[in-house]
Amino acid sequence: MDSNRLLAPPAPIHTTSHHQDASTTESEDLTPSSSATEHSPLSLQVPSSPTSKSLGGETLRTRADSFNSTAETSRSRANSFNSKAETARSRGNSDLTTLRSRFEGDELTTEEALRPDKSTEKDFEVTDSPFAFSPGQLNKILNPKSLAAYRALGGIYGLERGLKTDLLAGLSVDETTIPEKIGFDEATASARSKPLDARRIIAQEAIVTGRDIEGQFHDRKRIFSDNRLPAKKAISIWRLFWNAYNDRVLLILTAAAVISLALGVYEAVGHQGDGASLDWVEGLAIMIAIVIVVLVTGLNDYRREKQFSALNARKDDRQVKAIRSGKSVMISVYDVMVGDILHLESGDSIPADGILVGGHGIRCDESSATGESDAMKKTAGSDVWQRMVEGTATSKLDPFIISGSKVLEGVGTYLVTSVGVNSSFGKIMMGLQAENEETPLQAKLAKMANWIGYLGTSAAGLLFFILLFRFLAGLPNNTDSPAKRGSVFLDILIVAITIIVVAVPEGLPVAVTLALSFATKRMFKENNLVRHLRACETMGNATTICSDKTGTLTQNKMTVVAGLLGSHTNFARDINMNDEEKTVLTFAAAFDRLSPDVRSLLIQSVAINSTAFEGEEDGKATYIGSKTETALLTMAKDFLGMGPVAEERAGVEIVQLFPFDSERKCMGVVIRLANGSYRLLVKGAAEIMLDHATEELPNITAQLLEPCELTESARMQASANIDDFATQSLRTIAMLFKDFQQWPPIGAQSLEDDRSMARFEDVCQDMVFLGIVGIQDPLREGVAYAVKRCQDAGIVVRMVTGDNLTTASAIAKQCGIKTEKGLVMEGPKFRQLSDQEMDEILPDLQVLARSSPEDKRILVSRLKHLGETVAVTGDGTNDGPALKLADVGFSMGIAGTEVAKEASAIILMDDNFSSIVKALMWGRSVNDAVSKFLQFQITVNITAVILAFISAVSSSQMHSVLSAVQLLWVNLIMDTFAALALATDAPTEQILDRKPAPKRAPLITTNMWKMIIGQTIYQLLVTFVLYFAGYDILGYDTKCLPQTLERTCRGSLSPADCLNSAKCTDTMHTELNTMVFNTFVWMQIFNEFNNRRLDNKLNIFQGVLRNYFFIGINCIMVGGQIMIIFVGGKAFQIKRIDGTQWAVCILCALPCLLWAVVLRCIPDVYAKAVFDFVSKVWLACARPVLRVLAVVFKPVGKAFSAVFAPTRRFSRRAVSKISRKKGVKDETPGKGKGHAADVEAAEASEMSTMASPNSPQRQQTSAEFPMQPPPITLTTAT
């Protein structure tokens, strides 16, 4: 054999096998030392806390010591089999040549097994490490799974020694730096040669420091890092500015502004003798306005990115259970270190790579990490090492725990070997860091924005060609200089482009983003952690909520308040159960009568058949785990004289564990008794357990456990107690037991993958009835009110629970869920119904009792089939399918498993139903915020485009009453300020006074169209009257009118008089245009208040003083408008107006508030009838025109794309090159690559173009609008 080959001498492992024949039970001590049993998975010294699922679905947190014996007991048991040691050794040696089964990589040497790959060589380079292994060597275990690498590192004991940890006590909480170093050879050799007793073991009674230690785990973090992935490099603010500016329309406008500025400067230089020309000011003002728009948009996006980054950090954080200094503690997943000992339980999402230390029936779903769809059975690392020692290891052995996988069943502990970027899942996630998702509402609004932009672009194109034809027709008689004529042409182009800028409502998707970012931040403060943004929108329109009972409707603070021992001894504490037919004892009186054997049996049923453990919360000693379990432990401690749980579990050998199963509603454990027999302990739902019992203990005071037949009268008495407890809303738990002479018992079917384990269904028969307890779980404060508010909001609340029919019905009545006509049904009956029968009973179904997760999934599926928008709560692993299937899945932040949390869209941090109501309110608030902004922006869009179009066409100078800079200011008001103001209204209780919107409801409702069209008519009427009749109304001298001046100057006036008249005309014309512009803006400011309400109620100021954003934004808008009028001057092409003119502007704008009152008084039914008629007429007339426009503008769009394509390609390449250089300069692992991906993503976003337009009314299908819009890029949030 090669001298470099890793040799693995026998490891000190003690194994025990159970066969059908008890006389053939063999125990093989594979080492000369009889004390070598300390690392047996069933004989751990220090308690650990694997968890399972509990009764009712709560998470159970357990400690591995629940099932383990002390070292002394293990050693004594090992010594009892020493007589067979030589036989075992001789048999093992003789089998080496015949039974040896090689695994993949078995022939590799240590060097070959740990050889680095070219891409991971840096992971093998460490400086001044006190540990025996580098991150790269540890990664070889799982990249891919490699038993050869595992063997090369010395197995689990070599890893324990090399990582300076302890398989029993975990890391020390007092560890900072590690002065003593250990070499690779020393660590791997210690696994083969050093006695186990010589290993350092942290004492169980070690004091755990309760304070944060400065520099804790300094060396571990330095060498192995922590369990955080490097944050995805945020897009810089400069990049956001570039994205905001890199809009095709803004680029065209910039080019036109630059040319206008150049021509203006040329004119100013060429006309110095006649007075300096100020035409260059408009070009400069447009450029400044573009800069302001870009800055505001970029800063808005930057703020949004920061908020969502904080949200992502919160939703990824969670608590995991670890053993440190010999005690189970809860730590953040980010604080997991290499060398930590973590607990595994059913439903866990594994946070880091590692090796299984020990446990019971661990099976993992590794499909997300490896693509393997089968459940992978895990073998303890010590067992795998022993098989390697014996030479019987095969490739089927799997001790590897892979990060990102899910624990399907079982409990146990594992040793962490890789965290963060070094873990398997971390490496995958580094390349898959997700972008912010686009919600359905954002997608809908983006399409609507494209449709509106298409119409606006068509209007701008039509205006451009009309003015162009007029300009070309007047060229023969135009005596102006070429520069002046060029400036006129540019003015035409600039006005047309600016109309496109105003018409394209790029603020619509941004408004959704702002509303969502504001809502998610506030929802987190109200105990709703949003994992998927689309859930915010969907929750607002939920029509039914399927809620769990325990912990959601109730407080999950359980206490045993009554019970039954045997079938005759009743006891109670706070509930009056006395009647003429039975005598009820106090707790103390009932338990004092128990014989020692019965008392011991009860303690075993409570403490051994349990997954809760002792711990601390808020500095106080308590039990941690399922509240059902903790209630039973508290009862046993207070009245049965039970000591510390760890002591009760010490010395008890667990033979088989049956974790809680939501289908069979119970859990069990098999222990080996001192006399060599076996005892099965089972507890679960009382009425189900009673069906499994055929015997009882007739005398609880007898010294011996002598069961007798459970008579029919005794069964009826127990059943009556169950019903009695249930009517008082108590959860009923029954306890059973049965003794066996061997395990698995004769006649019981063994598990296929482990012949020493029996099927639960085969052994849980003919059990002995021990007793029943009634557990009280009070309703949460405010639950009844929250249910009532949901019902007022048009939402049907259904309770889905594992409790029996009577208990569930009683609690549902207390909550207000169950009504007189409501239907209550049990899950087994419900799932037997046909689809048609289910659909018939679902409208009346209010309580689904004794249900399984599959029943919940079926319920959600049928409700969705009926068109309902379904929200559902869940906390267990098996609730995952229902949570995924629901429109909105709520998982429990306290009691929920990691699988349930990952399947959900929102996590209830306090497990409280009232928090669901808060989510409902914020969901409706998001939808309302978008509708408010949509109503406001479409009004401004229509008014601004029509006003600019008609005024430009009617003007003899072909100038719009709203200049390009003024339109950019209006666009800033629309797209940014209004979005901030209208998207930040917090919801009020009144938001629940309306029914949810159907799934197919249009984005723009009849009431919204009524307000949009009504306000548009008023604003156009006022502005047109001012523009066309303003000279007469305001009393201007008619001699200075443009048409009068034109006739007069062709007569007898001298050139000087004509010049003075022209100056008079320019002044009055600018003054009137200023008043039109000022009135128009003030109407938008007042109309913003109108849009705070979407219903027909009149109080538009409700809650306005609580919205500081709204007040602040309006102050900025008002202040900006006043400043523009006073100092805007030539830049905005306005003139300062006096007090009288200000009064005219305000008085013309203010009535839009009163006009909104008139509009709200019009019934929506009448408005809808008018709109339907008008829309049909408009469609009939507009369809041919739109088709013609589509044919005309399609080549124009292609021409624009062809002209600007080289410029865009050059800019993208330049930015990418600069980004790559910067990434190389400060490259860190994963950083440069991630940034390059950001650049590519940003480029892809820039290249996105408008989709096909869709009408906001549902009856207008795409077939009615076959035209494609011009390729205009929207500055939407990505």
Side-chain angles (χ1 to χ4, degrees), residues 883-918:
L883 291 170
K884 275 286 188 184
L885 182 62
D887 295 288
V888 183
F890 287 89
S891 63
M892 304 296 107
I894 299 173
T897 63
E898 293 307 320
V899 171
K901 291 176 183 177
E902 290 191 12
S904 65
I906 300 176
I907 299 175
L908 294 178
M909 306 302 289
D910 59 351
D911 294 8
N912 194 340
F913 184 85
S914 297
S915 297
I916 298 179
V917 181
K918 295 291 185 183

Side-chain angles (χ1 to χ4, degrees), residues 241-263:
F241 287 149
W242 173 254
N243 290 345
Y245 174 67
N246 204 18
D247 177 88
R248 192 168 302 177
V249 179
L250 286 182
L251 292 174
I252 296 173
L253 190 58
T254 301
V258 170
I259 297 173
S260 177
L261 177 62
L263 291 175

Side-chain angles (χ1 to χ4, degrees), residues 8 59 137 198 207 403 515 590 604 610 783 838 888 896 940 1024 1093 1095 1163:
T59 304
Q137 290 172 326
I207 298 176
S403 55
Q604 286 178 348
S610 172
V783 160
M838 285 185 186
V888 183
V940 183
F1024 283 153
R1093 290 204 80 105
D1095 51 23

Side-chain angles (χ1 to χ4, degrees), residues 903-1187:
S904 65
I906 300 176
I907 299 175
L908 294 178
M909 306 302 289
D910 59 351
D911 294 8
N912 194 340
F913 184 85
S914 297
S915 297
I916 298 179
V917 181
K918 295 291 185 183
L920 171 64
M921 294 172 63
W922 278 108
R924 293 193 174 187
S925 176
V926 168
N927 292 326
D928 285 359
V930 174
S931 296
K932 293 173 186 176
F933 180 73
L934 185 62
Q935 180 175 299
F936 172 80
Q937 187 166 52
I938 292 180
T939 303
V940 183
N941 273 4
I942 297 174
T943 307
V945 170
I946 294 177
L947 179 60
F949 185 95
I950 293 179
S951 62
V953 171
S954 63
S955 171
S956 60
Q957 298 176 344
M958 295 181 291
H959 286 170
S960 167
V961 66
L962 301 177
S963 69
V965 181
Q966 292 172 6
L967 286 172
L968 287 175
W969 166 245
V970 172
N971 186 66
L972 189 64
I973 292 175
M974 286 194 314
D975 289 339
T976 302
F977 291 153
L980 282 170
L982 294 174
T984 52
D985 265 334
T988 61
E989 286 287 333
Q990 287 72 25
I991 205 169
L992 298 177
D993 292 338
R994 66 172 191 261
K995 304 300 179 184
K999 286 184 176 181
R1000 298 184 178 275
L1003 284 175
I1004 305 179
T1005 63
T1006 300
N1007 187 63
M1008 292 171 63
W1009 277 120
K1010 180 177 67 176
M1011 298 300 294
I1012 291 169
I1013 295 175
Q1015 287 293 335
T1016 299
I1017 292 173
Y1018 174 81
Q1019 293 181 17
L1020 288 175
L1021 183 64
V1022 170
T1023 51
F1024 283 153
V1025 168
L1026 276 177
Y1027 181 70
F1028 291 108
Y1031 288 100
D1032 296 327
I1033 295 174
L1034 299 175
Y1036 287 122
D1037 189 353
T1038 55
K1039 294 181 180 180
C1040 291
L1041 292 176
Q1043 57 269 28
T1044 304
L1045 176 63
E1046 186 177 355
R1047 290 194 303 268
T1048 304
C1049 286
R1050 290 199 299 265
S1052 58
L1053 288 181
S1054 63
D1057 292 335
C1058 281
L1059 179 62
N1060 292 332
S1061 296
K1063 291 180 178 178
C1064 173
T1065 299
D1066 287 341
T1067 299
M1068 289 191 174
H1069 189 64
T1070 303
E1071 197 173 81
L1072 184 61
N1073 286 354
T1074 300
M1075 293 182 65
V1076 173
F1077 165 65
N1078 196 32
T1079 303
F1080 178 79
V1081 172
W1082 278 99
M1083 281 192 291
Q1084 310 317 318
I1085 294 174
F1086 291 137
N1087 192 40
E1088 192 179 5
F1089 285 86
N1090 287 329
N1091 291 313
R1092 294 190 70 248
R1093 290 204 80 105
L1094 294 172
D1095 51 23
N1096 287 322
K1097 295 182 180 179
L1098 303 181
N1099 186 6
I1100 60 176
F1101 300 103
Q1102 182 180 9
V1104 69
L1105 296 179
R1106 293 192 297 270
N1107 189 346
Y1108 300 112
F1109 267 106
F1110 187 89
I1111 296 173
I1113 291 299
N1114 276 275
C1115 288
I1116 293 174
M1117 291 165 58
V1118 170
Q1121 181 64 19
I1122 293 174
M1123 185 176 66
I1124 287 171
I1125 297 300
F1126 277 95
V1127 300
K1130 186 65 177 177
F1132 281 81
Q1133 298 182 17
I1134 60 176
K1135 181 182 180 297
R1136 182 181 297 186
I1137 56 179
D1138 58 26
T1140 302
Q1141 293 164 331
W1142 265 102
V1144 171
C1145 295
I1146 299 298
L1147 291 176
C1148 286
L1150 191 59
C1152 75
L1153 296 175
L1154 301 177
W1155 178 240
V1157 174
V1158 175
L1159 293 174
R1160 286 190 166 95
C1161 292
I1162 300 175
D1164 291 346
V1165 177
Y1166 298 154
K1168 184 177 185 302
V1170 173
F1171 294 155
D1172 288 343
F1173 174 76
V1174 173
S1175 64
K1176 291 178 181 178
V1177 174
W1178 183 86
L1179 283 174
C1181 299
R1183 188 177 290 113
V1185 177
L1186 292 175
R1187 286 175 179 164

Side-chain angles (χ1 to χ4, degrees), residues 381-442:
S382 56
D383 291 343
V384 174
W385 181 252
Q386 181 63 37
R387 294 284 295 274
M388 289 181 172
V389 170
E390 296 173 347
T392 60
T394 69
S395 296
K396 292 184 178 180
L397 295 176
D398 187 0
F400 308 110
I401 305 297
I402 301 180
S403 55
S405 58
K406 310 292 188 301
V407 181
L408 297 179
E409 59 184 64
V411 293
T413 57
Y414 80 102
L415 169 65
V416 175
T417 58
S418 296
V419 296
V421 294
N422 296 317
S423 66
S424 304
F425 197 61
K427 292 180 182 295
I428 295 173
M429 293 305 295
M430 284 300 295
L432 298 177
Q433 288 181 324
E435 300 287 337
N436 290 331
E437 59 181 321
E438 183 181 51
T439 67
L441 188 55
Q442 282 177 319

Side-chain angles (χ1 to χ4, degrees), residues 425-568:
F425 197 61
K427 292 180 182 295
I428 295 173
M429 293 305 295
M430 284 300 295
L432 298 177
Q433 288 181 324
E435 300 287 337
N436 290 331
E437 59 181 321
E438 183 181 51
T439 67
L441 188 55
Q442 282 177 319
K444 289 181 182 179
L445 288 175
K447 291 180 180 179
M448 175 169 283
N450 293 338
W451 180 79
I452 297 173
Y454 167 70
L455 294 179
T457 304
S458 301
L462 181 62
L463 173 64
F464 173 76
F465 283 110
I466 291 174
L467 297 184
L468 179 62
F469 293 152
R470 287 180 56 185
F471 171 74
L472 294 177
L475 280 180
N477 300 324
N478 194 332
T479 58
D480 293 334
S481 64
K484 187 69 174 177
R485 290 197 295 270
S487 177
V488 173
F489 172 77
L490 275 177
D491 288 343
I492 295 172
L493 179 62
I494 288 172
V495 169
I497 295 172
T498 309
I499 287 179
I500 296 177
V501 174
V502 175
V504 174
E506 62 267 26
L508 286 180
V510 176
V512 184
T513 305
L514 287 172
L516 288 173
S517 64
F518 181 73
T520 51
K521 185 177 180 181
R522 294 292 296 273
M523 286 174 69
F524 181 75
K525 293 180 180 179
E526 296 180 352
N527 298 310
N528 284 275
L529 176 57
V530 180
R531 299 185 69 253
H532 301 298
L533 293 178
R534 65 177 61 230
C536 284
E537 306 166 4
T538 310
M539 188 58 201
N541 295 321
T543 59
T544 182
I545 299 174
C546 300
S547 175
D548 284 342
K549 176 187 73 72
T550 304
T552 307
L553 298 172
T554 61
Q555 297 179 19
N556 205 17
K557 295 180 179 178
M558 299 193 184
T559 308
V560 178
V561 296
L564 173 69
L565 295 175
S567 60
H568 306 288

